[in-house]
Amino acid sequence: MLTYDSIGELVREAEKRNVKISELVLADQAEAMEVSPMELYEKMELDFLVMRESVKAGQEENQKSMSGLTGGEGYKMKAYAEQKAGGLCGTLLSKAISRALSVAGCNASMGRIVAAPTAGSCGILPGCLVSLWEDRGFDEKDVVMSMFTAGAFGMVIAGRASVAGAQGGCQAECGSAAAMAAAALVELMGGAPAQCADACAIAIANQLGLVCDPVAGLVEIPCIKRNVSGLVIAFSSADLALAGIEAKIPADECLDAMRRVGDALPDSLKETAKGGLAATPTGQRLQKQVFG
């Protein structure tokens, strides 16, 4: 049985058995939960369906958050991507950005999402995976299987560092989601287990120290747009790893550093809405606008 306390453990076991990390994890979790691998796969398949539905819901033109502070970002980005031939980022990435915005917007409007690993970072993994499935034609089974890799990396991150903004800042939410997504993308592209770990490490390193400062204490500003930056980091980290560029600092050491950085952050920068952008004059004005 796997312990899920080390990315290195996942890589070593996958290499030892000559399997993908997702295959290793599916077999291990099915045994641990005393269910068949197919039953567990079908549950993950339903999660991917919910991801696709949340993309669709968030891309509605009239989508608005419960507070009224945000809404329609996914629709606007989708329209821009279609009208401007992908804009500066290109079609795949600009559409992926639209999907990340859409899922985060769906969450803000109390729609159903998959917390991957949290509601605040819910747009990153689906933004990546739905895009490869819909725009690049990746097989649904491969996409669903990659979610087991993402989930396993998330379990290690949660145990070794944190996935909660209140504990570790946004590096623990969007940073963790980007790392999980990067690993899944590498596997989908045929990368080796060690490259999945490199992508995870690079993604973590590029969001180390990211604070959690939600305006008015709501998961909207700047959270929704941070899902976009996390998605872009996931794609770039995966491409770096697939190109053979090593992280240099092992993934587990990056996670240990993330935990220490999170512990060092003041409470004002850990989901309390007392610092960062939440403490700006506009942030304070928006808080009064919502709550009086």
Side-chain angles (χ1 to χ4, degrees), residues 35-53:
V35 298
S36 70
M38 180 53 68
E39 183 178 348
L40 196 55
Y41 171 87
E42 289 175 346
K43 288 183 179 180
M44 192 68 86
E45 189 176 36
L46 286 175
D47 284 340
F48 185 51
L49 175 60
V50 173
M51 287 181 175
R52 302 199 308 264
E53 290 175 342

Side-chain angles (χ1 to χ4, degrees), residues 20 26 52-53 64 76-77 123 151 161 170 175 182 193 195 204 208 225 237 256 270 289:
K20 297 177 181 178
L26 175 58
R52 302 199 308 264
E53 290 175 342
K64 292 291 181 184
K76 290 178 181 178
M77 190 65 200
C170 198
Q195 290 177 311
I204 290 293
L208 204 62
K225 296 180 182 70
S237 298
D256 293 342
K270 293 194 282 190
Q289 176 181 315

Side-chain angles (χ1 to χ4, degrees), residues 124-126 128-129 150 176-186 199 230-231 234-235 238:
I124 296 171
L125 187 61
C128 292
L129 299 186
S176 298
M180 293 163 59
L185 288 171
V186 168
L231 174 135
F235 272 107

Side-chain angles (χ1 to χ4, degrees), residues 114-122 125 154 157-158 162-164 172-178 180:
V114 175
T118 65
S121 60
C122 64
L125 187 61
I157 295 170
S162 175
V163 296
E173 297 211 16
C174 286
S176 298
M180 293 163 59

Side-chain angles (χ1 to χ4, degrees), residues 94-153:
S94 60
K95 286 187 175 182
I97 289 171
S98 168
R99 293 182 178 108
L101 289 169
S102 297
V103 177
C106 179
N107 173 64
S109 58
M110 297 302 174
R112 186 167 71 148
I113 52 94
V114 175
T118 65
S121 60
C122 64
I124 296 171
L125 187 61
C128 292
L129 299 186
V130 174
S131 295
L132 290 195
W133 172 74
E134 189 167 317
D135 296 337
R136 287 285 182 90
F138 277 67
D139 186 79
E140 182 178 331
K141 181 179 179 181
D142 293 335
V143 174
V144 173
M145 285 299 294
S146 78
M147 293 168 67
F148 284 97
T149 295
F153 276 50

Side-chain angles (χ1 to χ4, degrees), residues 210-228:
L210 183 60
V211 303
C212 183
D213 52 350
V215 170
L218 302 173
V219 187
E220 296 184 52
I221 304 170
C223 317
I224 291 175
K225 296 180 182 70
R226 280 189 183 154
N227 275 255
V228 172

